[in-house]
């Protein structure tokens, strides 16, 4: 499988997280999940990150808090590197 195909497949699956998804996009995403079940991990990870960024409480609060700490640390590091 090529990198472009992986990216395209992932983008189709992540379309399931859109608030409005048409029937064709939904079917394409489900077909991708059927063909590559490992994409479910990507889908779940992105959903958890979206929930954390929105402040949505999820079943594992420590996971959301960890994501938020990671984002805050990454932003702080980026700002520190820009200042140099």
């Amino acid at each position: 499988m090529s990198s472009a195909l992986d990216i395209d497949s992932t983008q189709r699956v992540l379309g399931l997280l859109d608030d409005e998804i048409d029937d064709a996009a939904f079917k394409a995403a489900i077909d991708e999940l059927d063909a590559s079940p490992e994409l479910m991990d990507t889908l779940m990870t992105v959903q958890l990150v979206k929930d954390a960024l929105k402040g949505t409480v999820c079943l594992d609060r420590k996971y959301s808090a960890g994501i938020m700490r990671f984002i805050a640390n990454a932003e702080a590091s980026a700002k520190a590197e820009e200042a140099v």
Side-chain angles (χ1 to χ4, degrees):
M1 197 181 294
S2 70
S3 295
L5 182 58
D6 290 343
I7 291 168
D8 291 342
S9 297
T10 301
Q11 287 177 334
R12 279 189 287 275
V13 168
L14 293 180
L16 291 169
L17 301 178
D18 290 342
D19 291 334
E20 296 179 19
I21 184 171
D22 63 40
D23 292 341
F26 179 81
K27 179 164 179 7
I30 296 302
D31 289 345
E32 290 292 344
L33 283 174
D34 286 343
S36 303
E38 65 275 6
L39 287 172
M40 181 57 82
D41 289 339
T42 301
L43 180 65
M44 290 173 43
T45 301
V46 171
Q47 181 61 54
L48 288 170
V49 170
K50 284 179 68 174
D51 287 347
L53 290 172
K54 289 180 180 179
T56 303
V57 177
C58 67
L59 296 177
D60 184 355
R61 292 181 185 191
K62 291 180 182 179
Y63 188 80
S64 292
I67 291 171
M68 294 307 294
R69 277 192 305 277
F70 174 81
I71 292 169
N73 291 338
E75 288 179 356
S77 294
K79 287 180 183 176
E81 287 177 14
E82 288 176 6
V84 173

